[in-house]
Amino acid sequence: MSITRLQFDLLAHLYEKKGTGTQREMAAETGWSLGSVNRALADLTEKGWIRQGVISPGGIEVLEPYRAKRAVFLAAGFGARMVPITLNTPKPLIRVKGVRIIDTLLDAVLGAGIEEIYIVRGYLAEQFYQLLYKYPQIRFLENPAYNETNNISSLMCARYHLQEAYVMEADLFLRNSRLISPFQYRTNYLGVPVERTDDWCFISRDRRIVDFTLGGEHCHHMFGISYWTGHDGARLAERVQDVYAMPGGKERFWDTVALNYFGAEFQVDIRECSFDDLVELDTYRELRELDSSYGDAQTGGD
């Protein structure tokens, strides 16, 4: 059964919040107007999907087609800008204030009820076995080409697991676990609205991504967490093979497959977040700024 975006947002909110909060708070957190929320709640109550302000079993059943089923972590790279620490430790396994970077993502995934987890590994692959003590459900996918290609080769390794799936860069330090929610309405990427950036960003129209580019104005700073519906995940699996086989295709970022090469075949939304929600640790300097226990002595400076 298909439902509207407004109905989805309210039901998913009630599911995650366990029915707590006022209608005004629901409007503020979902981004819908108070009037729209009031009318939709009345309709959802009439349908029996909400009872006494709490989502009913029928409401949960309506949400089930939108449930995230799996998560894919891209963790094969070397992390050259994090030298010297990455000489002995894969970047996702670096600890920030005692917590491995990837643990912040894995804990959020499990918190969302997602148990099917894949990690694409390459550099110092054997070190990822340590994760099994805490996360025994992890399945590893090997990327033997990680040092010869861009990250598109990692998605090639995971292409059979992209339906109803989160795809994540494994080196993001997540501060807001709610970004990994149990349900998603459409295929989307996380993005932070910015006036200008020299980094990778999304150009959008009505929150729909129309271009993926390095640098832009009045755009969204890209974060490497996306979600793919069953239909889009299956199509992405086909198209990533097409791009990989193109001349120069192995040197591409995998995100360009759906956002540039075959953009007309995908409708990808932006799901807004803030820079307070997660941290993209690209350099050793940024690591030191987040965790002062990493000192200049390890590098002799920058």
Side-chain angles (χ1 to χ4, degrees):
M1 177 186 297
S2 62
I3 55 178
T4 68
R5 182 58 183 261
L6 173 56
Q7 290 173 329
F8 169 85
D9 285 347
L10 295 181
L11 288 173
H13 177 86
L14 290 170
Y15 180 91
E16 293 186 56
K17 287 286 192 175
K18 311 302 181 187
T20 59
T22 66
Q23 293 179 0
R24 189 173 299 278
E25 290 170 341
M26 289 183 67
E29 293 194 27
T30 60
W32 292 93
S33 70
L34 181 58
S36 296
V37 168
N38 289 340
R39 289 189 293 272
L41 288 176
D43 179 56
L44 294 172
T45 300
E46 183 177 343
K47 293 179 183 297
W49 297 344
I50 296 176
R51 293 175 185 164
Q52 297 181 332
V54 177
I55 188 170
S56 69
I60 296 175
E61 184 177 349
V62 169
L63 280 178
E64 280 302 319
Y66 303 92
R67 184 180 289 278
K69 301 291 180 58
R70 52 195 60 86
V72 174
F73 291 84
L74 307 183
F78 170 51
R81 289 196 290 170
M82 293 286 277
V83 168
I85 195 169
T86 49
L87 293 176
N88 299 305
T89 306
K91 190 176 174 184
L93 300 181
I94 293 171
R95 292 183 181 270
V96 178
K97 297 181 179 179
V99 179
R100 289 175 301 213
I101 294 174
I102 197 173
D103 283 29
T104 66
L105 297 166
L106 287 166
D107 289 345
V109 163
L110 291 174
I114 301 169
E115 293 283 342
E116 189 176 333
I117 299 171
Y118 301 91
I119 294 180
V120 183
R121 60 184 183 175
Y123 175 65
L124 296 178
E126 69 284 352
Q127 291 200 23
F128 285 91
Y129 282 123
Q130 66 183 267
L131 293 172
L132 294 176
Y133 292 101
K134 183 177 178 182
Y135 310 103
Q137 58 274 85
I138 288 174
R139 306 175 201 180
F140 294 114
L141 303 173
E142 312 301 330
N143 180 2
Y146 76 91
N147 203 32
E148 306 162 9
T149 64
N150 213 321
N151 68 3
I152 191 172
S153 63
S154 286
L155 201 75
M156 278 287 291
C157 296
R159 65 188 182 276
Y160 299 119
H161 310 292
L162 303 178
Q163 298 181 54
E164 300 169 312
Y166 283 100
V167 177
M168 307 183 189
E169 295 177 6
D171 56 359
L172 295 169
F173 191 83
L174 186 65
R175 287 168 161 164
N176 180 5
S177 62
R178 290 189 62 199
L179 290 180
I180 312 302
S181 55
F183 305 99
Q184 290 292 338
Y185 192 66
R186 288 196 183 105
T187 296
N188 63 73
Y189 271 83
L190 286 181
V192 179
V194 293
E195 290 295 317
R196 184 184 182 280
T197 181
D198 295 324
D199 212 328
W200 286 99
C201 63
F202 305 124
I203 309 300
S204 65
R205 187 178 299 116
D206 298 325
R207 297 291 178 87
R208 186 68 49 82
I209 298 174
V210 297
D211 197 11
F212 173 56
T213 181
L214 184 60
E217 296 182 351
H218 308 293
C219 55
H220 284 77
H221 173 96
M222 172 206 183
F223 274 114
I225 295 179
S226 58
Y227 177 80
W228 300 84
T229 65
H231 175 270
D232 287 342
R235 177 61 58 87
L236 179 61
E238 297 174 0
R239 290 312 193 188
V240 71
Q241 296 179 82
D242 294 336
V243 174
Y244 197 72
M246 291 178 181
K250 295 179 177 61
E251 305 307 315
R252 303 300 176 214
F253 289 107
W254 76 264
D255 314 85
T256 61
V257 175
L259 301 181
N260 296 123
Y261 282 97
F262 296 100
E265 298 181 15
F266 296 86
Q267 293 187 343
V268 184
D269 288 353
I270 291 174
R271 188 160 58 100
E272 286 194 347
C273 62
S274 78
F275 288 116
D276 292 330
D277 289 325
L278 68 170
V279 180
E280 191 171 9
L281 289 168
D282 286 329
T283 67
Y284 190 79
R285 179 190 293 275
E286 291 169 346
L287 175 63
R288 291 207 318 263
E289 290 174 352
L290 198 62
D291 186 341
S292 60
S293 68
Y294 293 97
D296 290 339
Q298 297 189 48
T299 61
D302 291 317

